[in-house]
Amino acid sequence: TAYRRQRQMCIRDRLHTVMAYAKQNGFEKLTLAVNEANERNMHLYGKAGFRTKIKTIDTDLLFFTPNGDPIKTQTLGVYCCEL
């Protein structure tokens, strides 16, 4: 849909803005944690250079209910991009 395309363009534009800022300020590498099940975003991040997987994060360790029980979310892949 048009909404989905617009959202993807916004994500792409923000990603390119962050990458340009990082490069201008002396960064050599960026890392990005992504939901690997989202194929559209994985394609977008890959095109931007985030192709090397560093590790996997189990997000059950990050989110908890008020009584302390872990919330089942998804596993995130951490990718890096050389600038």
Side-chain angles (χ1 to χ4, degrees):
T1 67
Y3 173 77
R4 185 179 293 163
R5 284 190 300 274
Q6 181 64 36
R7 185 172 177 271
Q8 287 295 107
M9 288 189 310
C10 288
I11 292 169
R12 182 198 62 214
D13 292 347
R14 281 182 288 187
L15 182 60
H16 288 273
T17 299
V18 168
M19 292 175 76
Y21 175 85
K23 195 170 190 175
Q24 290 171 355
N25 287 281
F27 288 78
E28 296 177 1
K29 186 188 313 183
L30 290 177
T31 58
L32 176 68
V34 299
N35 175 359
E36 294 174 306
N38 188 328
E39 293 179 15
R40 289 178 182 266
N41 282 350
M42 288 299 296
H43 178 73
L44 175 70
Y45 300 141
K47 284 177 65 174
F50 290 90
R51 295 184 191 95
T52 305
K53 186 172 183 177
I54 299 172
K55 63 181 175 180
T56 300
I57 299 173
D58 183 3
T59 58
D60 288 349
L61 304 175
L62 303 176
F63 303 103
F64 299 91
T65 64
N67 62 355
D69 296 323
I71 297 172
K72 181 66 179 163
T73 55
Q74 72 270 352
T75 301
L76 301 176
V78 180
Y79 291 79
C80 74
C81 174
E82 301 288 331
L83 300 174

